[in-house]
Amino acid sequence: MRIHLTSLFVDDQAKALQFYTEVLGFVKKTDVPVGEDRWLTVVSAEDPDGVELVLEPSGHPAVKPYRDALIDDGIPMTAFEVADVQAEYERLSALGVKFTQQPIEMDSISTAVFDDSCGNLIQIIHSA
């Protein structure tokens, strides 16, 4: 068994696709109309056959209170591995991404947390 898909609720799928591809560097994998929404996935440019991230519409009534509670407590919705947290922090900050946690090191792990502008906090992480 392996993870094939994981979902992230987003406020606006078009805006999310732009952010996740043009800012973060993911690649669009699937884009299929489904009623008013889309089955929309992105993958890592470094692993195009790897885990797909579904940019899921956030219209379900359970999503807003769930995400609001996580954001209020500063809890990221998911985490992406990077080679160098400090370098990625500097690259994304220069592109206007707002971080809620600057890079910190905890033993052999470095992390930082940013706002994806689509309703989520996202953690970047590197473990040595």
Side-chain angles (χ1 to χ4, degrees), residues 26-40:
F26 288 97
V27 176
K28 182 171 69 175
K29 176 90 175 196
T30 306
D31 188 356
V32 177
V34 181
E36 296 178 6
D37 298 312
R38 299 151 69 181
W39 178 258
L40 182 59

Side-chain angles (χ1 to χ4, degrees), residues 23-83:
V23 177
L24 296 186
F26 288 97
V27 176
K28 182 171 69 175
K29 176 90 175 196
T30 306
D31 188 356
V32 177
V34 181
E36 296 178 6
D37 298 312
R38 299 151 69 181
W39 178 258
L40 182 59
T41 71
V42 295
V43 293
S44 169
E46 301 166 4
D47 189 14
D49 295 322
V51 176
E52 294 180 49
L53 177 64
V54 182
L55 302 176
E56 189 92 39
S58 62
H60 190 282
V63 173
K64 183 172 177 15
Y66 173 65
R67 289 195 317 175
D68 288 350
L70 292 177
I71 289 171
D72 288 348
D73 289 343
I75 299 172
M77 186 64 76
T78 194
F80 301 138
E81 182 181 49
V82 297

